[in-house]
Amino acid sequence: MSTKEKGVKDRILETAVRLFQTQGYANTGINQIIQESQTAKASFYDYYPSKDLLGKAYIEFYGKEQLVLLEKLQSRSENARDFIQAWTHILRRQTRNSEFAGCPMANTAAQIASTSPSISEEVKKLALRTVEFLSIYLKERQKKGQIPKNADTQSLARKIFASYEGVLQIWKLTGKISALDDLPEMVDAIIKSSGKK
């Protein structure tokens, strides 16, 4: 692919990312993406023959960004509490941006229901990768004595991910940014109870 072609494809995806995040996947039409990306219709379909393929590329893009963010937070955090506090801080900062509408994978999955198997599969893969990332991180913390030795890190990771998704949904439903501040407390409680039999 030439540099020019890559530029056009990137411009389409960047426009789609912005529109999907602000308007939602279901509320964004291909014609709007074509117009706002200043792309010829034929060029658009050369790169993305369907909206589903563009939606899948959007989730892939978000997934890469999310995992890079989590890796950065992990490298800067002394312990799990610092990691979750930093994650919460990022979420609070994102909510100040009027274009932030919550978790793109949860939002997209809710909007498409079961009408797009390829997007649903991409969302599922990203959710599982995120849980696996958290599980590996927690295992490392476990080796350092920060997580109870008998804790099931896979189960812990799922509960932390569920808490993350939950606080974002409460924020969206209520408009109260303070809902995000529940995340560190919820994760603390999950970790403390994880060693109890």
Side-chain angles (χ1 to χ4, degrees), residues 124-141:
K124 180 179 166 184
K125 285 189 329 196
L126 176 54
L128 291 171
R129 275 198 313 267
T130 305
V131 169
E132 186 59 26
F133 174 90
L134 291 171
S135 178
I136 291 167
Y137 172 73
L138 292 166
K139 277 183 185 155
E140 291 169 6
R141 300 293 113 194

Side-chain angles (χ1 to χ4, degrees), residues 142 147-153 194-197:
Q142 199 172 39
I147 304 287
K149 286 182 181 176
N150 61 339
D152 176 350
T153 56
S194 67
K196 297 176 183 172
K197 290 274 182 173

Side-chain angles (χ1 to χ4, degrees), residues 92-109:
R92 284 185 67 89
R93 193 168 62 210
Q94 287 174 321
T95 60
R96 288 187 208 117
N97 177 351
S98 61
E99 295 180 354
F100 181 69
C103 176
M105 68 177 140
N107 292 343
T108 304

Side-chain angles (χ1 to χ4, degrees), residues 1 31 36 112 117-118 144 193:
M1 182 182 298
N31 288 335
E36 292 197 24
I112 62 163
S118 64
K144 294 183 177 190
S193 68

Side-chain angles (χ1 to χ4, degrees), residues 81-97:
R81 181 162 184 71
D82 290 348
F83 173 78
I84 298 299
Q85 288 281 16
W87 201 4
T88 302
H89 180 74
I90 296 287
L91 292 174
R92 284 185 67 89
R93 193 168 62 210
Q94 287 174 321
T95 60
R96 288 187 208 117
N97 177 351

Side-chain angles (χ1 to χ4, degrees), residues 4-51:
K4 183 180 176 188
E5 289 172 323
K6 187 175 183 326
V8 173
K9 187 173 184 180
D10 288 348
R11 191 173 69 235
I12 293 168
L13 182 58
E14 286 167 13
T15 303
V17 166
R18 179 176 50 81
L19 293 172
F20 290 162
Q21 287 180 343
T22 57
Q23 299 176 175
Y25 177 82
N27 295 327
T28 303
I30 287 175
N31 288 335
Q32 183 183 11
I33 295 167
I34 290 169
Q35 181 181 7
E36 292 197 24
S37 67
Q38 299 176 346
T39 305
K41 199 170 228 180
S43 293
F44 175 90
Y45 285 107
D46 283 344
Y47 299 114
Y48 299 103
S50 70
K51 187 178 176 188

Side-chain angles (χ1 to χ4, degrees), residues 79-82 84-85 156 160 163 182-194:
N79 53 49
R81 181 162 184 71
D82 290 348
I84 298 299
Q85 288 281 16
L156 262 179
I160 290 170
S163 299
D182 293 338
L183 184 59
E185 188 179 322
M186 292 165 74
V187 171
D188 272 352
I190 290 166
I191 290 172
K192 283 177 185 163
S193 68
S194 67

